[in-house]
Amino acid sequence: MLNELIGKISDFVWGPPMLVLLVGTGVFLSFRLKFLQFSQLPYALKLAFSKNQDHSSEGDVSHFAALMTALAATIGTGNIAGVATAVIFGGPGAVFWMWMTALFGMATKYSEAILAVKFRTVDARGEMAGGPMYYIEKGLGWKWLGILFAIFASIAAFGIGNMVQSNSVAYAVKESMGVTPWITGLILALFTGFVLLGGIQSIGKVSSFLVPVMALFYVAGGIIIILMNLDKVPEALILIFSNAFSGKAAAGGALGTVIRYGVARGVFSNEAGLGSAPIAAAAAKTDMPGRQALVSMTGTFLDTIVVASITGLVLVMSGLYSGVDLKNPQAAEITVRAFEMFLPHIGQWIVSIGIILFAYSTIIGWAYYGEKSFEYLFGTKSIFFYRLVFTIAVFVGTTVELKTVWNIADVMNGMMAIPNLIGLIGLNGVIVAETKRFQEQRRIEKQKLNSILG
């Protein structure tokens, strides 16, 4: 009964009003920012992956490390099981609405980061602390709303960012290698605890190595499948675009069903609007908020337009999404079968290893989000206790039934978005003003460079 009640609350929280608010905020901010997510994307990618990272400005980690920490948390099982769920229930057209969510979500992610850096503060340990709780408190003056965000984020970190992920790893390892879940849990907990001891510096270093490796590994597998089956790509794309507006959803219902699953899974994949990623952005070494905001914006592009699209396209090409038992879809298993169909004996390993790496990276990324939220509520002295409990929870997640935990985490994840979106809308004038200040600084930099070059 408890599970059923929490499930109903989750359905309400993630219902059409929330999805409209999330996407609507992205559309509103896109207009306010004159769609800079398109015009500035090449420069943003250049900033993110430049060898000449800013190491002299105030902050804890580089642009790249901050982005990788955010991507560590966002590139997770949502890119495999979440995308499969969208295609199974919403049909191929759901992939199109995932893309739309990401394109507007880039403006949201930019806005979150620019506020996170502008309103960040230095904590008692000399580290940066920022995120929605700080810009809501300092920008809007509503500390009570910042506290609510921090409470929701702290709880969500233990569910969607911890036990749900470790459970996914334990299941994948058991299925592919036959390892008992508690052994996987012990190893995971030890690795997690070791990384957390070093704080954001350690998390940033591990993420900077792990995220590019795991993303390239998974994307390379998907691209090989696409290149080997180029004849199937046009038909898959036609299905995606035509079904996006036809309303043919496996779960029944009209066009709204297709849109709902596409948008919901898109948001679940890239977390734009939830308020998690700006916590990592606040730690970046940057001379201006706008610079890190552009870097953070690329996270949504890389997560959904690149990684999640690979899953979606392979699934549509395979056709395995149709005829699935909707009461027990086994979404991750469908993705495994789709990859295995095109790459026999190899495909299943690409997805299984992908799940393990994606889930572990999510654990360490969300550990930082939860830590900073906990610090906001209880101060820096609570951090060691938080890290200890978080590490133990990783082990617990591999050994227990998590349906209730998943539902509670899902609710908390959705509840995080409400204070954050209020902050973004209420501070949209600050976002625009900071953007104009950054653009003026860039214009001056270009003039200086041109004068030097003669």
Side-chain angles (χ1 to χ4, degrees):
M1 287 178 68
L2 175 63
N3 222 7
E4 193 175 324
L5 176 63
I6 297 169
K8 286 180 179 177
I9 295 171
S10 179
D11 289 342
F12 174 76
V13 169
W14 283 104
M18 172 63 80
L19 299 179
V20 169
L21 183 60
L22 281 163
V23 179
T25 301
V27 173
F28 170 70
L29 291 171
S30 294
F31 276 99
R32 289 288 279 136
L33 295 167
K34 299 178 180 177
F35 293 89
L36 96 172
Q37 68 261 48
F38 304 117
S39 61
Q40 297 300 308
L41 182 58
Y43 175 65
L45 289 167
K46 181 182 175 183
L47 264 178
F49 295 100
S50 170
K51 290 182 180 178
N52 300 315
Q53 295 281 309
D54 186 347
H55 295 291
S56 59
S57 295
E58 194 176 27
D60 298 323
V61 293
S62 67
H63 287 305
F64 180 74
L67 173 63
M68 291 302 110
T69 300
L71 278 175
T74 52
I75 297 180
T77 52
N79 294 77
I80 295 174
V83 176
T85 302
V87 176
I88 289 166
F89 285 92
V95 176
F96 173 84
W97 294 108
M98 285 182 64
W99 291 337
M100 291 300 102
T101 302
L103 293 176
F104 288 114
M106 287 166 68
T108 306
K109 195 69 74 84
Y110 170 91
S111 302
E112 290 175 327
I114 208 167
L115 291 176
V117 177
K118 180 174 176 59
F119 291 104
R120 67 185 178 179
T121 187
V122 179
D123 66 20
R125 299 180 304 164
E127 292 183 356
M128 287 297 173
M133 51 282 201
Y134 291 94
Y135 55 72
I136 290 169
E137 178 190 344
K138 297 167 82 173
L140 289 179
W142 297 350
K143 185 169 183 175
W144 62 271
L145 193 61
I147 290 172
L148 279 180
F149 173 87
I151 291 170
F152 297 146
S154 297
I155 297 171
F158 278 94
I160 209 155
N162 185 320
M163 291 192 283
V164 168
Q165 303 299 329
S166 63
N167 192 269
S168 297
V169 173
Y171 175 79
V173 172
K174 184 181 177 183
E175 288 296 303
S176 58
M177 304 173 198
V179 179
T180 307
W182 74 264
I183 296 175
T184 302
L186 187 61
I187 295 169
L188 262 183
L190 288 172
F191 273 107
T192 302
F194 180 73
V195 173
L196 295 193
L197 281 174
I200 184 58
Q201 302 284 349
S202 177
I203 292 170
K205 284 178 182 176
V206 172
S207 299
S208 295
F209 169 77
L210 183 61
V211 173
V213 169
M214 72 182 195
L216 286 171
F217 173 77
Y218 185 75
V219 169
I223 289 175
I224 289 169
I225 289 173
I226 291 166
L227 292 176
M228 288 174 62
N229 299 273
L230 282 174
D231 57 314
K232 295 182 183 292
V233 174
E235 184 184 349
L237 291 173
I238 289 168
L239 267 176
I240 289 170
F241 284 100
S242 61
N243 283 24
F245 301 97
S246 69
K248 292 179 181 177
L255 177 61
T257 308
V258 182
I259 297 173
R260 181 188 170 189
Y261 279 103
V263 171
R265 292 299 125 182
V267 170
F268 180 73
S269 168
N270 60 56
E271 298 181 12
L274 298 189
S276 49
I279 298 174
K285 292 180 179 179
T286 185
D287 59 341
M288 296 191 77
R291 221 179 293 274
Q292 177 56 35
L294 285 177
V295 172
S296 294
M297 180 185 83
T298 64
T300 301
F301 174 81
L302 295 168
D303 176 271
T304 305
I305 304 298
V306 178
V307 181
S309 292
I310 292 291
T311 304
L313 198 53
V314 172
L315 279 168
V316 175
M317 286 165 57
S318 73
L320 295 175
Y321 59 88
S322 61
V324 175
D325 179 7
L326 299 183
K327 291 182 180 179
N328 186 30
Q330 295 293 326
E333 183 61 30
I334 299 300
T335 306
V336 170
R337 284 171 51 199
F339 271 70
E340 184 70 8
M341 173 181 166
F342 293 113
L343 288 175
H345 311 299
I346 300 172
Q348 63 175 332
W349 286 103
I350 291 173
V351 180
S352 296
I353 293 170
I355 288 172
I356 293 166
L357 295 178
F358 286 7
Y360 177 66
S361 74
T362 298
I363 290 170
I364 61 173
W366 265 92
Y368 183 69
Y369 296 162
E371 177 180 307
K372 285 299 175 184
S373 299
F374 211 73
E375 178 188 324
Y376 179 80
L377 295 169
F378 304 107
T380 53
K381 290 182 180 179
S382 66
I383 289 175
F384 177 78
F385 170 76
Y386 168 84
R387 290 174 178 172
L388 179 64
V389 176
F390 192 91
T391 302
I392 293 169
V394 171
F395 173 78
V396 173
T398 62
T399 60
V400 297
E401 173 61 45
L402 286 180
K403 196 170 183 181
T404 303
V405 173
W406 172 265
N407 283 334
I408 292 171
D410 216 22
V411 171
M412 292 300 107
N413 220 208
M415 294 298 286
M416 285 169 60
I418 297 171
N420 183 50
L421 295 174
I422 291 170
L424 292 176
I425 294 168
L427 296 170
N428 75 89
V430 178
I431 295 166
V432 173
E434 274 298 325
T435 299
K436 287 179 178 177
R437 189 169 78 89
F438 173 59
Q439 289 172 340
E440 177 61 23
Q441 177 64 25
R442 274 200 70 203
R443 187 184 64 80
I444 294 169
E445 289 172 359
K446 284 180 180 177
Q447 283 182 343
K448 285 182 179 178
L449 182 62
N450 289 336
S451 65
I452 292 171
L453 296 174

